[in-house]
Structures are given as C-alpha cells and as structure tokens.
Amino acid sequence: MGVPGTDLQGWKWVRGRARRREYCLWVIVALAWVGILGPAGSPFTQVVLSYAVAFQIFRRLHDIGLSGWWYPGFVLLEIALIGGLSVELSPEWATLIAAVLAALGALVLGLVPGNRQTNRFGAPPGATGRTWSTIRSN
C-alpha cells in the first residue's frame, strides 16, 4: 500500500525519485500544517514533518539528477547567509531574506522537470520498467 498521490511503497523515503506532483503535494501539506497549527503544533510532529519534507527534497533532487547531499549544502549556505546578513541588518531581516531565498529554492525544485530517462537514482517515477531508450525505439 502506498501513500496517496505518490510513488512511495512502504518506507522508501530517501531512495528513488519524486516527480513534481509528489514534491508539491508534500510542500503544500507542510505549509498547511504550519499555517493551521503554527506554534501550537507539538515539537514531535514538527520534527516528523520536517524530516518528511527533507526526504521529499532528497528524492526531488534525485529526479533532476542531483545527489541528496546538495540539500545539506543549501542549508549550510542559508545559515551562513543569515549569519553574514545579521552583521549588517537586524536578525529579523536577515532571517526574512534567507526564508525568501529558501522559498524560491523550493519553488524552483517544484518547477524544474525531472530527467525523462533512467539516471543513477533509478527509473523515472511512474515508469513501468520501460526506459526512455526503449520507448524511443518503439
């Protein structure tokens, strides 16, 4: 049994690839969760939701042909940006600028099409064992 709207079967949270629809679904659920509960949500559910979205980001990076290790690099860059901007601006403005850049990064991940062919992370999501080269040859 899989997660509705996704290609997840069982607990394949980090492996494989996530299409744009699946990634956007998870981002919308996360934003709705934060918007509805806000600070009232328990720390446990916030951590679980953060990990679920991070795993979707890993899988989305896999779909466009990048390693999931790009995500921690982006997080470290955001932390460095907040620290650097905090010297010149107030911490609130620095955090706001970093949050806007992170939102733009999330938007780009949702808009960039994935690789149509099999890459080192597996077949395209929803593929039925046919690769792009076999589809083109038929």
Side-chain angles (χ1 to χ4, degrees):
M1 182 173 135
V3 177
T6 70
D7 291 327
L8 292 177
Q9 297 292 325
W11 289 96
K12 295 180 183 175
W13 290 97
V14 181
R15 297 176 51 196
R17 297 166 55 173
R19 60 174 59 142
R20 287 183 283 185
R21 179 181 65 201
E22 179 181 341
Y23 169 76
C24 291
L25 174 74
W26 280 94
V27 169
I28 289 169
V29 166
L31 290 174
W33 185 273
V34 169
I36 291 170
L37 292 181
S42 74
F44 175 75
T45 56
Q46 291 174 355
V47 167
V48 169
L49 187 64
S50 297
Y51 278 109
V53 170
F55 293 152
Q56 285 304 309
I57 292 172
F58 294 157
R59 295 182 71 236
R60 184 69 192 124
L61 287 168
H62 289 174
D63 192 42
I64 60 175
L66 296 173
S67 169
W69 285 104
W70 280 87
Y71 179 65
F74 289 132
V75 171
L76 291 174
L77 179 64
E78 186 175 3
I79 291 169
L81 180 66
I82 292 172
L85 288 175
S86 294
V87 173
E88 295 294 324
L89 303 171
S90 70
E92 293 82 17
W93 276 105
T95 304
L96 177 65
I97 292 170
V100 167
L101 290 176
L104 286 174
L107 180 67
V108 166
L109 274 180
L111 293 177
V112 173
N115 294 342
R116 296 177 74 183
Q117 66 275 12
T118 300
N119 64 19
R120 64 185 173 143
F121 302 106
T128 58
R130 294 173 45 172
T131 62
W132 182 245
S133 60
T134 61
I135 292 170
R136 280 192 1 208
S137 66
N138 290 336

